[in-house]
Amino acid sequence: MEPQLYMFKEIRRHLLKRHDFYVAQVRARVIYQFDNIEEEAERYAEREYSELGSLPGDEDSDMSVIADIAQGRAQEFYDLLSDLKKNTTLSSLAGMYHQWEKDLRDFIDKELRHNYGKESIEKLVWQSKIEDIFNVLKMFGWECQTKDFFRNIDACRLIVNVYKHGQGKSLNDLKENYPD
């Protein structure tokens, strides 16, 4: 009997539910906290202005200078929050992608262990690049690269690599293949 990769409906349902849960919970518990950073920065500016204005000093203090200082500090606060939002979003995306990739590799590992030795499967599944994993799927008739969803997965992979490694091949591939 030829080896096969077959995903039972219940396994597929479980994996999709796991993914949907991750996305929903990241949005609900993490990302939402950055919804109002503009308002937070405004409140920060008001607090800074109030604190700076109440400091003992010269009666002739120029309140416009104090307002400029408070606004500058608020802008810095906003920039820091924006960077934190970006990093939190990218970190969450990386976690989502890595969980998906691990689940895919785990599925292939379990399916192919029925027909192949443990050592060869571990090397093939856990030590290969994701491109090689897609080639394994293709050998079993799962031509993922031709499906509409593949662009999203591949773009996500590249974004995660750029986030992790910075400039390099992944950034060039991302710019070339997914300029949007």
Side-chain angles (χ1 to χ4, degrees):
M1 186 160 130
E2 287 288 315
Q4 294 182 29
L5 282 179
Y6 179 77
M7 185 175 284
F8 290 97
K9 189 177 185 178
E10 219 21 59
I11 292 172
R12 182 178 184 277
R13 186 200 65 75
H14 169 75
L15 293 175
L16 289 172
K17 185 175 182 180
R18 178 180 171 96
H19 171 77
D20 291 343
F21 176 83
Y22 183 94
V23 171
Q25 293 304 309
V26 164
R27 282 185 179 146
R29 295 175 182 265
V30 180
I31 303 301
Y32 90 92
Q33 295 183 56
F34 296 98
D35 285 349
N36 299 311
I37 61 175
E38 294 84 6
E39 291 87 6
E40 287 182 55
E42 286 176 25
R43 287 192 303 275
Y44 188 89
E46 290 167 7
R47 282 192 309 272
E48 286 293 305
Y49 180 77
S50 178
E51 283 182 28
L52 290 170
S54 67
L55 290 174
D58 186 355
E59 295 295 325
D60 296 327
S61 295
D62 186 350
M63 294 308 281
S64 66
V65 172
I66 292 174
D68 286 344
I69 293 170
Q71 197 58 43
R73 290 180 181 178
Q75 183 62 52
E76 180 181 36
F77 179 76
Y78 175 82
D79 292 343
L80 290 169
L81 280 178
S82 293
D83 286 346
L84 183 59
K85 177 183 181 180
K86 181 180 77 177
N87 285 324
T88 301
T89 301
L90 289 170
S91 180
S92 297
L93 179 66
M96 178 191 71
Y97 177 80
H98 288 304
Q99 186 62 54
W100 170 83
E101 185 178 329
K102 184 175 167 253
D103 287 345
L104 176 64
R105 289 174 187 268
D106 189 52
F107 163 73
I108 294 170
D109 182 311
K110 287 177 181 171
E111 286 295 300
L112 295 182
R113 271 185 197 256
H114 302 297
N115 298 94
Y116 300 103
K118 178 181 176 181
E119 291 80 23
S120 60
I121 292 302
E122 283 181 356
K123 184 176 181 180
L124 172 71
V125 173
W126 296 105
Q127 297 174 15
S128 296
K129 294 179 179 180
I130 192 65
E131 294 86 359
D132 297 330
I133 296 298
F134 285 121
N135 288 332
V136 168
L137 292 172
K138 188 175 182 176
M139 290 182 341
F140 287 93
W142 295 27
E143 299 207 30
C144 301
Q145 292 98 326
T146 64
K147 304 296 182 193
D148 290 338
F149 64 79
F150 184 77
R151 286 184 53 81
N152 291 335
I153 291 172
D154 195 44
C156 186
R157 174 187 67 83
L158 291 171
I159 291 167
V160 167
N161 283 342
V162 171
Y163 172 62
K164 183 177 176 183
H165 301 291
Q167 295 184 16
K169 182 179 178 346
S170 291
L171 180 60
N172 294 337
D173 290 347
L174 185 64
K175 286 178 185 177
E176 183 179 325
N177 297 324
Y178 310 102
D180 53 323

